[in-house]
Amino acid sequence: MSNWDVFLAPYKQAVEELKIKLKGIREQYQMSSKHTPIEFVTGRVKPISSILDKAKRKNIPLDCLQDEMQDLAGVRIVCQFVEDIETIVQLIRSRSDFEIIEERDYIMDKKPSGYRSYHLVLWYPVQTIVGEKKILVELQVRTLAMNFWATIEHSLNYKYSGEIPEDVKDRLQRAAEAAFKLDEEMSQIRDEVKEAQRIIIRKQEEQGKT
Ligand code: 0O2
Ligand code: 0O2
């Protein structure tokens, strides 16, 4: 690859554009006083060293990166509740400013490591001075609990170069189970809050009648 900066420039632009668009959605929810399904958004262009490692690991020739490496541009949406993930996925599906080419549901079907997240792969059009260029972007949607687990596991993988010792792996499996339980508990609380809000509204309506 002669010039990484030039190659990665549209990926950087796509990440920045998507972050702005997704943060815009969060702000619209906040303004309408509705529960926002987006807690925060992060994004990154894959560092060159990680691109080279992954290309080697997956046997991807460097001149095929743009078609075969789906996460050169990565955007992550983190939510409070598991239910928010479905809301976000529906929202993403309804948009016309990019095309979804693949969805991977690692929530229904978690990875052997214990990893849970919902992944969408998009062809995202970037406007350049030589015309439109469609690039691949990976969108990851996960809860705060899933994000906590994935962040820790990612660091351990880095520390142990992918060879996490068995006892640590066992702990991670248990931690993944605990994160799953935490999401379930929080969902219950969410329902309680929604019910409380319905009771308050009903009471206010009744008081208005008398
Ligand atoms: P705000 O006002 O804090 O919401 P950036 O270019 O800075 O917008 P970037 O480069 O992706 O985004 O930065 P980073 O460090 O990945 O974090 C992105 C945003 O996510 C930052 O907010 C962080 O504050 C926010 N963030 C990261 N972790 C958490 C978390 O655990 N909880 C919450 N609520 N937010 C988190 P912004 O975009 O700077 O704006
Ligand atoms: P980064 O930038 O370090 O996060 P593969 O890369 O072979 O595992 P594939 O087919 O390219 O998988 O796509 P997949 O698994 O849908 O998505 C890959 C990305 O999902 C990873 O990026 C991680 O961000 C995240 N991910 C997938 N599995 C795990 C896991 O077991 N633990 C954690 N912590 N994250 C996971 P990269 O390539 O690791 O890059």
Side-chain angles (χ1 to χ4, degrees):
M1 187 67 58
S2 57
N3 194 334
W4 282 103
D5 284 346
V6 173
F7 174 68
L8 293 175
Y11 292 88
K12 199 171 158 209
Q13 192 175 324
V15 168
E16 293 308 318
E17 287 182 14
L18 277 162
K19 280 197 323 201
I20 287 173
K21 289 177 179 184
L22 293 163
K23 287 178 184 181
I25 295 177
R26 186 185 60 188
E27 271 147 34
Q28 286 177 48
Y29 271 100
Q30 278 163 347
M31 274 191 291
S32 68
S33 311
K34 281 191 197 155
H35 163 73
T36 169
I38 299 177
E39 178 69 8
F40 64 89
V41 181
T42 64
R44 60 104 185 94
V45 172
K46 209 174 184 64
I48 297 167
S49 58
S50 308
I51 297 174
L52 294 172
D53 284 350
K54 190 164 182 171
K56 201 170 168 192
R57 184 160 47 85
K58 298 198 126 194
N59 273 320
I60 303 174
L62 292 189
D63 56 358
C64 297
L65 284 178
Q66 52 188 358
D67 294 318
E68 292 182 29
M69 196 171 289
Q70 295 179 330
D71 67 341
L72 291 171
V75 176
R76 185 171 292 157
I77 303 170
V78 180
C79 355
Q80 292 183 336
F81 302 105
V82 177
E83 291 77 4
D84 296 334
I85 296 177
E86 185 58 30
T87 308
I88 290 165
V89 171
Q90 297 289 359
L91 241 157
I92 301 289
R93 287 191 190 129
S94 70
R95 290 186 72 116
S96 53
D97 49 343
F98 45 73
E99 185 197 346
I100 300 172
I101 56 158
E102 209 174 314
E103 296 189 21
R104 290 195 281 271
D105 186 349
Y106 299 127
I107 295 173
M108 287 294 282
D109 194 10
K110 68 169 187 210
K111 286 204 160 187
S113 60
Y115 177 78
R116 289 163 67 236
S117 240
Y118 197 97
H119 291 192
L120 298 116
V121 182
L122 322 173
W123 274 124
Y124 184 85
V126 172
Q127 309 307 318
T128 77
I129 51 171
V130 289
E132 185 175 282
K133 185 174 166 57
K134 283 203 171 78
I135 60 154
L136 287 170
V137 177
E138 184 185 75
L139 257 183
Q140 301 180 340
V141 193
R142 48 169 83 149
T143 62
L144 285 161
M146 294 174 196
N147 191 51
F148 183 28
W149 184 92
T151 307
I152 301 291
E153 198 260 3
H154 195 272
S155 317
L156 288 172
N157 248 317
Y158 187 78
K159 178 179 171 188
Y160 292 110
S161 312
E163 308 280 331
I164 300 178
E166 282 307 313
D167 57 326
V168 183
K169 260 192 197 162
D170 288 348
R171 269 189 199 286
L172 279 170
Q173 287 284 347
R174 285 201 292 280
E177 199 51 43
F180 178 73
K181 288 243 163 63
L182 180 59
D183 273 335
E184 280 189 332
E185 289 293 329
M186 289 303 180
S187 290
Q188 290 293 119
I189 291 174
R190 182 176 189 259
D191 290 343
E192 294 274 326
V193 173
K194 275 164 82 183
E195 199 181 326
Q197 281 168 345
R198 274 198 297 273
I199 293 168
I200 291 167
I201 291 169
R202 213 178 308 137
K203 272 229 166 99
Q204 282 169 342
E205 282 170 356
E206 279 165 12
Q207 278 166 356
K209 276 185 211 154
T210 55

